[in-house]
Amino acid sequence: FRTPQSVDLSRRCAGAGVRYERVEDLSTLSTAVSREHERSGAGVVHVEIDPALNLRRHQALWDAVDVALKGQS
């Protein structure tokens, strides 16, 4: 979720029988996603993001796609 949550996701997952893991860095994220990919059933990998940085990166991607698509015409 992009919007800050007041819900304790780890407790919600536990109550629903869903695996939960919070990650703090890129190497941990990669490991957690790989591990979840190999498992059956549901799992949540929780990652905090910097909203301003996320928006800048998305804008840069949108701009690059726009340039690429205009180049195809």
Side-chain angles (χ1 to χ4, degrees), residues 17-20 32-44:
V18 173
R19 290 181 305 277
Y20 170 90
V33 170
S34 294
R35 188 171 37 245
E36 281 302 322
H37 180 72
E38 297 298 321
R39 295 175 171 168
S40 61
V44 171

Side-chain angles (χ1 to χ4, degrees), residues 22-32 45-48:
R22 182 182 178 109
V23 298
E24 302 293 333
D25 56 55
L26 189 57
S27 64
T28 308
L29 173 61
S30 180
T31 301
V45 177
H46 180 171
V47 181
E48 295 261 344

Side-chain angles (χ1 to χ4, degrees), residues 61-73:
L61 287 170
W62 296 327
D63 292 346
V65 168
D66 188 46
V67 167
L69 291 176
K70 286 180 182 174
Q72 291 181 0
S73 310

